[in-house]
Structures are given as structure tokens and as C-alpha cells.
Amino acid sequence: MNSLIQGIATFQGSVFPGQRQMYRQLVRDGQHPSALIIACADSRVAPEHITQAGPGELFVCRNAGNIVPPASDVVGGVSSAIEYAVVALGVRDIVVCGHSDCGAMKGLMNRDLLKRMPSVAAWLRHADAAERIVCEAYPEGMDAKDRHHALALENVVVQLANLRTHPSVAAALAKGALRLHGWFFEIETGELLAYDGARGRFRPIAEADMPVAETSHAGSRLRAA
């Protein structure tokens, strides 16, 4: 805690005074984040740090395994964050961000690790589809490291599918008001991959080129009819 207390003192004494006007404006005008990022709670993966975003620029929801439970009658923190971001804040983009060396994915690969963590085990059932994909659609001879990496990537795609089941997301996509993104952060190299929905694969994010997992086409079904 000593380092945290020292950090608070530095913020209050050296950082905040130079940003006082910005924080006052954020209170006066409210928050208007450009995107919702659903990321893993892993302490090594900080969306604001990776994107170099400042206060008020991102609405962030973090949990073990960057999980998005399918919409249901059970109200949860992730579901409420999604609904609030889309309906109240009007975000135009939602990102599901996975990462390398994910402990949650290691737990999926080895259920014995979760015996003393029943709540974590229950939570990770929302990623069972990703495990099934890797078990049945990937080569059997993959080594453990490659298998873990594949599972973490597939989990991002599965959570994007879960995201589409949320009524607020489905409606915003239908109105042409929302785009979905799947990102994957390679901790070792700092590289950020993005899921290209048109090609069905991840590729590096290049400057001025952002692959999109799914974009809106307002009224396309009506016009086709």
C-alpha cells in the first residue's frame, strides 16, 4: 500500500494541479467516452495505458477473462455496463480485448486449477464455446503454449458473439449506430491485433487501418425486402 499512497500523493501534488481545469470541465459537461472497452482484469493489461487515452475518453469494464455473458434475466455488472454505455452514453464502438498469457484461459485448459475457485469456474463457463472450438477444430498435436494462445484468441470471438445477444447492442447495430471490435494484446511485444470480421482472422492494427469485427448497416434488411 505504501507505493499506492505515494502515487496518490504525487497525483494530488504534481499531476492534478496541472489538469484541474480538465477535471472541472469533465464534471461540468459530463462524460462522453468514444468507446466501451471490455478487457481482462489482468493487472498487466490496462486499456487506458495501451491506447494512451485520457480521463473521460474511454468507458472501461474489466473482469476475469474479458467475458461477456449472454443476455439473460440475470442482471450483472458487465450487462449493466454494456447497456449504460450504449443507451445512456451513446458509445459508437465496443471493443472486447483479450491478451496473451491469460490466467483465465489457463484455468479453462486445466480445470484442476479452479477447484478452490468455484466462482471463477462458474464465470468461465461463458467461455466454454472457445474451448470446444480449440479442442475440435484445431490440430491435436499443438503444444500447450500454442493451444493456450489459440484459446485466448477464440475467446475474443466467442465473447463478441455473446455481445450481440444484448438487446441494446442488437438495436444499435440495426440502427447503424454501433461497431464491434475484437482486440488481442500481446504482452511480450506490445503488439495489438484486431479481428477482421470480413476475413475471419486477427491481424495487426496499422496506423489509419482498424479492422472491424462487425459494423452496422442501417435499414439493409428492409431495403433487401
Side-chain angles (χ1 to χ4, degrees):
M1 288 299 294
N2 289 338
S3 62
L4 297 181
I5 293 171
Q6 181 59 51
I8 293 169
T10 300
F11 172 75
Q12 292 177 336
S14 303
V15 178
F16 184 81
Q19 299 180 344
R20 188 187 308 274
Q21 193 59 37
M22 177 196 68
Y23 278 101
R24 285 177 175 172
Q25 183 175 343
L26 287 172
V27 172
R28 183 178 67 246
D29 300 339
Q31 61 169 323
H32 303 282
S34 60
L36 163 64
I37 296 187
I38 301 169
C40 187
D42 192 300
S43 60
R44 301 165 296 177
V45 183
E48 295 92 340
H49 186 64
I50 295 169
T51 61
Q52 291 295 284
E57 294 181 2
L58 295 176
F59 196 67
V60 178
C61 178
R62 298 175 67 176
N63 64 72
N66 42 275
I67 298 293
V68 180
S72 68
D73 293 333
V74 179
V75 177
V78 178
S79 300
S80 59
I82 292 168
E83 187 173 76
Y84 187 81
V86 174
V87 178
L89 299 178
V91 298
R92 301 282 303 193
D93 297 273
I94 300 180
V95 178
V96 176
C97 184
H99 66 95
S100 61
D101 197 43
C102 181
M105 298 302 101
K106 290 177 182 178
L108 269 182
M109 289 179 61
N110 185 356
R111 304 285 177 145
D112 288 342
L113 297 175
L114 304 176
K115 284 183 177 179
R116 296 176 60 192
M117 295 180 283
S119 295
V120 176
W123 177 249
L124 292 180
R125 291 194 187 105
H126 297 302
D128 281 348
E131 182 189 27
R132 187 74 173 266
I133 289 169
V134 173
C135 288
E136 298 190 12
Y138 279 72
E140 292 185 9
M142 293 175 67
D143 64 34
K145 184 176 181 180
D146 289 342
R147 203 168 191 81
H148 173 263
H149 195 263
L151 178 58
L153 287 167
E154 291 292 350
N155 181 53
V156 171
V157 180
V158 166
Q159 302 314 319
L160 284 168
N162 289 346
L163 185 57
R164 296 184 193 100
T165 69
H166 289 256
S168 59
V169 172
L173 284 170
K175 290 188 297 184
L178 189 65
R179 294 182 300 180
L180 305 184
H181 308 265
W183 289 1
F184 191 85
F185 179 57
E186 299 279 7
I187 296 176
E188 304 89 335
T189 65
E191 186 176 37
L192 196 65
L193 307 176
Y195 184 68
D196 187 333
R199 294 180 172 87
R201 62 183 178 87
F202 284 86
R203 58 187 178 90
I205 293 177
E207 192 170 349
D209 175 28
M210 173 64 72
V212 177
E214 183 172 341
T215 191
S216 309
H217 297 286
S220 59
R221 295 183 183 89
L222 184 60
R223 288 195 299 271

